[in-house]
Amino acid sequence: MATLQEVLQEQIPKYRDGIKKLLREHGDKVISQVTVAQAYGGMRGVKGMICDTSVVGPDTGLIVRGRPLLEIKELWPEEIFFLLLTGELPDADAKAALQQEFDRRSQVPEYVWDLLRAMPPDSHPMCMLDTAILVMERESIFREWYHKGMKKEDYWVPTLDDALNILARLPVIAAGIYRMRYKGSSLIHWTHGLDFGANFANMLGLPDPTGSFAKLMRLYLNFHADHEGGNVSANTCHTVGSSLSDAYYSISAGLNGLAGPLHGLANQECLGWILETIEKFDGVPSEEQLREYAFKTLNSGQVIPGYGHAVLRVTDPRFTGFHDFGVDHLPNDPVFKTVERVFKVVPKVLEEFSAERVKAGKNPIANVWPNVDAGSGALLYHYGMTEFPYYTVVFSVSRAMGMLAQLILNRGLGTAITRPKSVSTEWIKKTVKDMK
Ligand code: HAX
């Protein structure tokens, strides 16, 4: 089979022509309308952008290029990246070629380590990661080619180069942040010939006598890679990239969005909440104790992290996949057992709380089921990664794959600069006045 570059070389012109034809023939058809509530409500449900790497169905969860997530959970991160970009699975040769690309590009420049070491000791690991990506922007091949002059049809070529450089260095930088922040400053190097997930696990330096932590890392990097285009991280990356800012600017921006507690940081918040309950009740809490604690959290005006979703209306298959891993590898771990018990209790609590909200004239909670962040932290914790401010960094190493795949395809299509129309409250008031 051809390499990733060769497959894209063949696919992208056809993809571009197909979209041009679609626009010529159907460009004026209406696919979405916007209500006042949506304009004030984060544009929830408004169909106004395209993402061809994956879709999230409210009742199905993540589907990557037509394949439901739980059917492809055994794929390694390299294969997922290939799949996101091309819609095809690499054969053994193409996979090995991609692994060699990562090997070749994995050297992190010394100035990145100098910068990270110079950052204040209370910098959040996400801030360290995003800063490290941004400082490497000077190496952007896209920027260099753009300033030399390049055809629009070629934009995707240096973007792919930038993407491979960023991806190869990301696990090294992320693991380096972990080592310098939490384990003294000894860094562990990338091992040539070892796969992406196992390499990341190895560079973190946590004990892994059975290889099951490396297995978890492959699963984790697979599950978090992409979640269609409208979520904060992907949407931000897309918007920044649409002005032809290069991949370093775009990915760093997207990951800054992932660092918010309503998005990727929820996994840090979630494990914190689980551990609080264990501490408060001196061991794995009973269902009744969890119920009481969940209501206390809600009544104090806070969200229950790891539950709810802007699109999903069922249990997130990523939660199910992580749960299955826990059942297989750590069924008696007290933190994992608490996660399982929370899953039994919290949806019911949220349903009751939602009904109370509605009686009080507030919005219902649209989805009471767990999302990806509800259980993943317990697995990391079991393997000795107890520093939960770090968890979103692991998420980021993975999410960069989806954002970069989307960016490359958008460069291939020549997607327009993002510029929705904003309106003022004054305009809304005037406009709705005469409407029924
Ligand atoms: N606990 C308490 N209240 C919740 C809730 C939860 N888990 N989930 C939703 N609600 C509340 C919302 O805060 C909102 O309240 P207000 O109207 O008073 O603002 C109301 O229910 C309606 O919200 P919604 O329509 O159900 O959900 P949104 O699309 O607005 O928000 C969120 C989706 C994921 C942000 C939300 O469910 C939430 O805050 N969950 C907890 C944080 C979390 O787990 N985030 C991670 C999501 C997955 C992800 O992106 N990972 O990276």
Side-chain angles (χ1 to χ4, degrees), residues 370-384:
N371 60 55
V372 63
D373 296 319
S376 57
L379 306 182
L380 299 176
Y381 197 80
H382 173 81
Y383 286 98

Side-chain angles (χ1 to χ4, degrees), residues 199-343:
N199 235 318
F200 185 35
N202 187 52
M203 288 184 291
L204 287 164
L206 295 167
D208 188 20
T210 64
S212 58
F213 182 58
K215 200 172 166 191
L216 174 63
M217 276 300 120
R218 292 192 196 105
L219 186 75
Y220 197 104
L221 298 178
N222 171 336
F223 276 11
H224 288 82
D226 204 39
H227 217 231
E228 68 173 41
N231 63 74
V232 168
S233 47
N235 189 12
T236 303
C237 176
H238 172 68
T239 301
V240 173
S242 79
S243 73
L244 296 186
S245 289
D246 60 54
Y248 294 85
Y249 284 125
S250 309
I251 291 298
S252 181
L255 295 179
N256 288 337
L258 195 72
L262 296 188
H263 193 14
L265 207 78
N267 55 14
Q268 149 179 350
E269 306 278 310
C270 194
L271 190 67
W273 192 83
I274 298 277
L275 294 180
E276 263 168 44
T277 68
I278 295 177
E279 194 183 312
K280 176 167 169 54
F281 299 108
D282 207 14
V284 178
S286 68
E287 290 187 22
E288 197 38 50
Q289 286 169 329
L290 282 173
R291 191 181 143 80
E292 176 201 318
Y293 201 74
F295 270 116
K296 191 166 163 251
T297 302
L298 292 166
N299 288 327
S300 67
Q302 296 169 62
V303 297
I304 307 227
Y307 282 76
H309 200 270
V311 177
L312 283 170
R313 295 296 173 258
V314 290
T315 295
D316 191 331
R318 300 172 296 178
F319 175 82
T320 308
F322 283 136
H323 179 256
D324 294 348
F325 183 96
V327 170
D328 288 348
H329 292 89
L330 44 133
N332 299 319
D333 180 289
V335 182
F336 177 67
K337 278 178 142 171
T338 307
V339 167
E340 280 194 308
R341 209 162 273 177
V342 167
F343 179 40

